[in-house]
Amino acid sequence: MSEHRRKPPQPQGGGRAANRRGQSGLSSGRRAAPRGATGSPSDAYGSEGEERPYSGRAEARRAAQKSGGGRRRAAEPGRGGRRGAPGGPNGPGRGRARTGPPGKKRVIDYPRAGKYGVARWVPSWKLVTGLFIGFFGSLVAVAGIAYAMVNVPDIAKTASAQNNVFYWADGSEMVATGGETNRQIVNLSQIPKNMQYAVISQENKTFETDSGIDPKGIARAVFNMARGGETQGGSTITQQYVKNAMLDDQSQTISRKFKEIFVSIKVGATKSKDEIMAGYLNSAYYGRGAYGIQAAARAYFNTDAVKLNAGQCAFLSAMLKGATYYDPAGATSIDPSATPEANSKRALGQMQNTLDKMVAYGHLDATERQKYTTLPKVQNPRSNSDLRGQTGYLVDLAKAYLINNKILTADQLQQGGYSIKTTFDKKKVKELEASVTKVQKANIKPKERPKTDTHVQFGGASVNPETGAIEAIYGGEDATKHFTDNADQTGAQVGSTFKPFVLAAAMKWGVRDKSLGPEQAQDERTQVSPKSLYSGKNRLKIKEYDGTIWKNDKGKEWLQTNDGNESYGTPPRYDIDLREAMRESVNSAFVQLGMDVGLDKVKAAAIDAGLKEDSLAGTSYPSFSIGISDPSAIRMAGAYATFAASGEQREPFSVKEVESKDGTIYTHEDKAKQAFTSQVADNVTDVLKTVVDKGTGTNAQLPGREVAGKTGTTDGNKSAWFVGYTPQLSTAITMFRYDDDESKKNRTFLEMYGTGGQKKIHGASFPSTIWHDYMEEALKGQEALKFPVPEPIGEIVNDVPSPTPTPTVSESEEATPTPTPTPSETLTSPTPTPTESCRFSWQCTDTGGTDTGGTDGGVTPSPTATETGGTGNSRGNGNGGLFGGQDGG
């Protein structure tokens, strides 16, 4: 049969479908539905073109439903298929499928029946209203259940902080602290009205009339948390009281915030304002381990709460904002910016603002307010006698490490419950303290020499080169009396102990080619050998790397002096190699070397070694190379440890492991980086060995051991250092005079001429003696290891040096960044190597073996600070923080 046979013509009157409908209607004994009910657009007209009574499918369908045709069609088989498809019990028929009996109303009419297009999807007002009522009713039900389930907090259960237990490196317990019972609940009648009105005026002026919650503040806090921002505290006193009391759950989540809201509502509804105020002031944390107003009054003023005056009350209300940044004693171990000076300024400003508001709101008489314009006198911030001696410094150092490295927060440490395993070696800590005490008691006599021996301070730190662990520190005489940790921050310039970083930079990057322009010279460099020659002439005119004379912004030339105004090297050029220049600590040679390398590279080398950038002075002046920066003893010990470890730098750390009740939450991981090649680092070490073997550091010699180190003395004799190391241990010792009287403003470092009975304090004197005595005991019983033999490095720069011009001295030429002592105080004669009869060279006649490169800064006859632009360090004294910098280590 042909594949293209024609289909037989369809019969008139609607086709096969119509015939079927007709047959179906006859066979059922019922009259067929009107044709228009089928919904076909053409069904309004008959086969012969007469007009039907229905104008469209919808009207036909409604008519069919009314007549029952719709129900009959729903029952007929095959009515739900495609148009024109064959019918039958198993095949689809003409029309639309229906899911239920027509005419039955749905509970939720959505999408809307009888609507088409966009209108079908627009909900009716009845639906919207119903959903809103249902949603609101659900919230009310949930809120009611939540309100019923929460409990009003019991003030007696607050402030139940646990101890943190600190352990020595060997696992033995050092101290348990942090959970001292420093709290006593008092009645509202024992809390001065001034204290109540101070917190009301500053924190919640509508406290006496509000409902206990601040909807705007809550919405702001929830929104901030939802987008991942920091959480916010309660906006009302009631909410803050609830927050303080909910010690069972200190998580910062949206669910906890909602829980606080319901508890606050319940507290506001069930407790009086007096009860809420008493609860808040008795549960709040005021710093210094003090929970509650009574403990705070004792911690700061050693008095009872009921005796506090308006000024003291306003002061304590400031402590509620965070004692870390408002306690006048400072908290630099946690944040370097929280210095005593900065905290005092913040506290005074906050206190005055509170008093002003108390007057404005009618809570304090203006005349009474005028009595309190300065900070009240506060007492010793340490209440735990177990933190005396070095223990307090050790605990502060460990806490600061945890906080600054985001291992634990200050709030978590405050709550306690942690076992903290430190790196501190109990034996070494005691030996370092004993060595300092021995020298101090034997030589520093403030009663006999009040003008020279008062305010003398020492600091020290030991770092393990193989791990970076801080094994010992000396922070001061007693942590309960002297609050600044002298191991971690002092602001004392390091002097000539900075010179090894200049040498390392010259070996790592090399000196610039003098014949090239500035940009090209950065790439064309010559690596320096320790045999390179530089001028050791006193009052040397310092040049730019290209040979032009260096001048400051006022056109002044720089004349670099050496300690004792002595020249070194072979006349007339005074050539001296870098090894010899380091041995004698010759300033002029290293200042010029720094200029040839570039002070930016010198700074980079210091940072690579481990110093913090914010502890380094600016590089605008040549004296940068001879130690006008003020890194901490910890950082200096760590940086020298980089040389001891053949160039591997490790961040100093003080905590090995932290455990909570849930297990170990932190374990230190060794993350060493190669700051210098072993060739560079080992050559620096070899040069520094010369300093100890037969240079300014001979006092630090340890029989049978190889020692590398460097002395340092600063301009004006305001600080002295010795930093040295063996393969197993690197230690830095500093000495300075610093008036730490909190009542004085603009405190400065004091000169040390005559201190300890010495004409002048050098790194070769007391600091090296302390270093020697300590290291001798600290290394007792350990194998005497040797340093690696260095590989030859670099080229001999200036092997055929050009003639050095003789400087013309004039009153206009200047150099030193700080005022200098009189000639009678500074001039010393070069002395021979100390004789065997003198144990320590600085104890011999004429101070043999002194740090002859110690007066750093380039002395001229009459310099002034304004002419020289200062030291290039605009930060002033006291910068530092954790390990000498803000990001910790």
Side-chain angles (χ1 to χ4, degrees):
M1 183 179 294
S2 172
E3 292 179 3
H4 305 285
R5 65 183 180 180
R6 298 178 60 188
K7 294 182 180 179
Q10 296 294 324
Q12 299 295 319
R16 288 185 290 180
N19 290 337
R20 283 197 303 275
R21 290 195 298 273
Q23 293 171 1
S24 177
L26 290 173
S27 63
S28 65
R30 297 179 181 178
R31 185 177 179 178
R35 186 169 180 175
T38 64
S40 173
S42 62
D43 286 347
Y45 300 90
S47 58
E48 298 181 5
E50 73 271 25
E51 185 175 352
R52 295 295 182 185
Y54 311 115
S55 61
R57 297 172 65 183
E59 186 175 349
R61 186 162 59 251
R62 289 194 294 272
Q65 290 173 351
K66 291 179 180 178
S67 65
R71 287 188 294 272
R72 287 194 296 274
R73 285 197 306 275
E76 292 173 2
R79 296 296 295 174
R82 286 182 296 110
R83 182 177 181 180
N90 298 317
R94 181 178 178 80
R96 297 183 176 225
R98 296 187 181 276
T99 58
K104 185 176 181 180
K105 294 183 178 181
R106 292 177 291 173
V107 176
I108 299 178
D109 184 21
Y110 192 81
R112 298 176 67 182
K115 301 289 183 180
Y116 297 94
V118 177
R120 179 176 173 81
W121 300 100
V122 177
S124 66
W125 68 270
K126 294 181 180 180
L127 178 60
V128 173
T129 303
L131 290 176
F132 176 77
I133 294 174
F135 178 73
F136 183 76
S138 299
L139 285 181
V140 172
V142 171
I145 295 172
Y147 181 86
M149 292 182 65
V150 297
N151 296 316
V152 174
D154 183 357
I155 186 62
K157 295 180 180 179
T158 63
S160 56
Q162 304 176 64
N163 277 326
N164 291 314
V165 182
F166 293 82
Y167 295 90
W168 295 102
D170 63 4
S172 60
E173 184 175 320
M174 180 197 305
V175 66
T177 183
E180 298 85 14
T181 306
N182 191 14
R183 176 178 62 96
Q184 179 182 351
I185 296 175
V186 293
N187 296 325
L188 190 65
S189 60
Q190 296 174 278
I191 302 175
K193 282 290 185 181
N194 282 325
M195 188 66 211
Q196 299 174 47
Y197 286 130
V199 296
I200 289 174
S201 300
Q202 190 58 253
E203 302 181 31
N204 185 192
K205 65 180 180 180
T206 62
F207 167 74
E208 294 175 314
T209 58
D210 63 33
S211 62
I213 61 171
D214 176 10
K216 290 183 179 179
I218 291 169
R220 186 169 57 250
V222 172
F223 174 75
N224 196 42
M225 286 187 290
R227 68 177 185 175
E230 293 185 359
T231 59
Q232 296 181 356
S235 299
T236 69
I237 288 176
T238 302
Q239 286 176 261
Q240 292 181 57
Y241 160 58
V242 169
K243 182 179 183 296
N244 293 339
M246 291 173 62
L247 294 178
D248 59 323
D249 179 13
Q250 289 295 316
S251 60
Q252 299 298 324
T253 61
I254 292 179
S255 61
R256 183 185 186 277
K257 180 59 65 177
F258 276 114
K259 184 178 179 181
E260 283 183 15
I261 292 171
F262 288 117
V263 175
S264 298
I265 294 172
K266 197 163 189 175
V267 168
T270 59
K271 285 185 174 291
S272 68
K273 291 294 183 179
D274 283 352
E275 289 176 303
I276 294 171
M277 176 59 71
Y280 171 56
L281 293 176
N282 276 312
S283 63
Y285 183 66
Y286 297 79
R288 299 194 177 188
Y291 291 89
I293 185 63
Q294 175 64 17
R298 283 292 174 188
Y300 288 93
F301 306 117
N302 194 28
T303 189
D304 291 323
V306 72
K307 297 180 181 179
L308 295 172
N309 61 42
Q312 292 170 327
C313 290
F315 171 86
L316 290 178
S317 72
M319 297 304 106
L320 294 174
K321 299 182 72 67
T324 296
Y325 300 99
Y326 289 90
D327 187 342
T332 49
S333 62
I334 295 176
D335 188 335
S337 68
T339 62
E341 293 84 0
N343 280 15
S344 296
K345 183 177 180 180
R346 280 188 286 262
L348 179 60
Q350 185 69 18
M351 171 187 164
Q352 296 303 306
N353 180 262
T354 299
L355 290 169
D356 289 341
K357 287 183 177 179
M358 291 172 69
V359 173
Y361 299 148
H363 302 313
L364 182 66
D365 182 73
T367 303
E368 179 71 11
R369 183 257 178 276
Q370 292 305 315
K371 297 179 181 178
Y372 311 107
T373 57
T374 60
L375 281 177
K377 185 175 179 59
V378 296
Q379 64 173 3
N380 179 350
R382 296 192 184 274
S383 58
N384 187 348
S385 60
D386 290 337
L387 298 177
R388 62 184 178 274
Q390 300 306 303
T391 306
Y393 302 124
L394 298 173
V395 168
D396 285 348
L397 200 62
K399 285 182 177 180
Y401 181 82
L402 295 173
I403 294 170
N404 290 346
N405 287 280
K406 302 186 185 306
I407 299 166
L408 292 173
T409 66
D411 285 343
Q412 287 174 318
L413 282 170
Q414 176 187 317
Q415 292 304 313
Y418 297 97
S419 295
I420 300 167
K421 300 178 181 178
T422 73
T423 60
F424 306 129
D425 185 299
K426 186 176 182 179
K427 176 179 178 291
K428 289 186 175 71
V429 170
K430 288 185 176 181
E431 292 295 345
L432 182 53
E433 183 177 28
S435 298
V436 173
T437 302
K438 176 183 176 183
V439 167
Q440 191 170 27
K441 287 185 175 181
N443 300 279
I444 309 302
K445 302 182 183 301
K447 292 183 178 180
E448 295 180 15
R449 295 182 290 266
K451 292 184 178 181
T452 60
D453 286 20
T454 54
H455 308 299
V456 175
Q457 298 286 334
F458 293 92
S462 282
V463 173
N464 187 319
E466 294 183 2
T467 64
I470 303 170
E471 297 192 346
I473 65 168
Y474 179 83
E477 185 177 351
D478 190 331
T480 65
K481 298 177 181 178
H482 175 74
F483 309 136
T484 301
D485 184 353
N486 293 342
D488 191 26
Q489 40 148 352
T490 61
Q493 294 180 359
V494 296
S496 294
T497 58
F498 198 80
K499 289 173 182 173
F501 306 123
V502 183
L503 180 61
M507 290 179 176
K508 181 175 182 177
W509 285 290
V511 296
R512 292 171 286 186
D513 190 327
K514 297 180 180 180
S515 65
L516 302 176
E519 294 184 4
Q520 191 177 359
Q522 290 289 347
D523 300 322
E524 298 294 331
R525 291 172 172 270
T526 302
Q527 191 177 29
V528 171
S529 162
K531 296 180 181 179
S532 296
L533 299 176
Y534 274 82
S535 175
K537 184 176 178 61
N538 184 53
R539 301 179 60 80
L540 178 70
K541 275 191 178 181
I542 299 302
K543 302 176 182 179
E544 299 280 6
Y545 80 93
D546 60 1
T548 59
I549 303 298
W550 185 91
K551 296 180 180 180
N552 67 8
D553 55 359
K554 294 185 178 181
K556 304 290 186 180
E557 296 179 350
W558 188 279
L559 294 178
Q560 183 58 57
T561 63
N562 297 320
D563 187 37
N565 292 318
E566 295 296 327
S567 295
Y568 294 84
T570 305
R573 296 187 178 93
Y574 295 95
D575 297 330
I576 185 173
D577 68 35
L578 293 178
R579 181 184 297 275
E580 180 74 4
M582 186 74 78
R583 181 176 76 85
E584 296 296 338
S585 199
V586 181
N587 290 343
S588 55
F590 280 96
V591 168
Q592 187 59 60
L593 176 62
M595 297 298 287
D596 291 350
V597 175
L599 298 183
D600 59 330
K601 296 299 185 185
V602 175
K603 183 175 183 177
I607 293 173
D608 288 344
L611 301 187
K612 304 304 291 183
E613 185 172 5
D614 64 356
S615 70
L616 300 178
T619 56
S620 301
Y621 285 82
S623 56
F624 178 78
S625 293
I626 49 177
I628 60 174
S629 299
D630 56 10
S632 69
I634 292 174
R635 281 290 170 180
M636 286 299 289
Y640 273 50
T642 300
F643 298 132
S646 294
E648 284 190 347
Q649 191 270 331
R650 293 173 173 83
E651 284 295 294
F653 71 102
S654 56
V655 177
K656 296 189 295 184
E657 187 176 275
V658 180
E659 294 180 350
S660 69
K661 60 182 178 60
D662 299 318
T664 301
I665 62 174
Y666 167 77
T667 301
H668 175 76
E669 295 180 6
D670 184 24
K671 296 179 180 179
K673 63 180 181 181
Q674 197 71 36
F676 307 103
T677 64
S678 59
Q679 186 184 34
V680 169
D682 292 344
N683 270 279
V684 171
T685 294
D686 194 57
V687 171
L688 294 181
K689 280 176 58 183
T690 307
V691 175
V692 177
D693 289 343
K694 49 185 177 180
T696 61
T698 54
N699 291 345
Q701 293 176 0
L702 298 174
R705 293 186 184 275
E706 291 191 349
V707 176
K710 185 69 186 75
T711 55
T713 307
T714 58
D715 182 54
N717 202 209
K718 293 178 181 178
S719 60
W721 290 72
F722 185 81
V723 187
Y725 55 94
T726 67
Q728 299 107 314
L729 195 62
S730 176
T731 298
I733 302 295
T734 180
M735 176 183 176
F736 53 92
R737 289 184 69 207
Y738 185 67
D739 186 355
D740 60 354
D741 185 347
E742 298 290 342
S743 65
K744 294 184 178 180
K745 296 181 179 180
N746 301 321
R747 292 169 292 160
T748 58
F749 287 85
L750 306 175
E751 294 178 345
M752 293 191 293
Y753 298 109
T755 299
Q758 301 293 310
K759 178 182 290 187
K760 180 178 180 179
I761 299 297
H762 294 86
S765 57
F766 298 132
S768 65
T769 302
I770 293 170
W771 190 96
H772 170 274
D773 292 349
Y774 161 67
M775 290 289 281
E776 191 172 52
E777 293 299 320
L779 296 173
K780 187 172 290 186
Q782 295 188 37
E783 183 181 357
L785 301 179
K786 293 185 179 298
F787 292 115
V789 177
E791 298 178 9
I793 191 172
E795 300 180 20
I796 302 176
V797 176
N798 301 326
D799 191 17
V800 184
S802 57
T804 302
T806 302
T808 301
V809 180
S810 68
E811 291 299 314
S812 64
E813 292 176 323
E814 48 69 46
T816 184
T818 56
T820 58
T822 61
S824 61
E825 291 176 314
T826 58
L827 293 176
T828 57
S829 301
T831 55
T833 304
T835 62
E836 293 299 323
S837 62
C838 298
R839 181 190 173 200
F840 300 126
S841 59
W842 60 269
Q843 292 176 327
C844 297
T845 305
D846 296 328
T847 64
T850 59
D851 178 2
T852 52
T855 304
D856 303 333
V859 181
T860 56
S862 57
T864 63
T866 55
E867 287 176 336
T868 63
T871 64
N873 180 0
S874 61
R875 295 170 295 100
N877 294 328
N879 184 68
L882 179 60
F883 308 159
Q886 291 185 16
D887 49 359

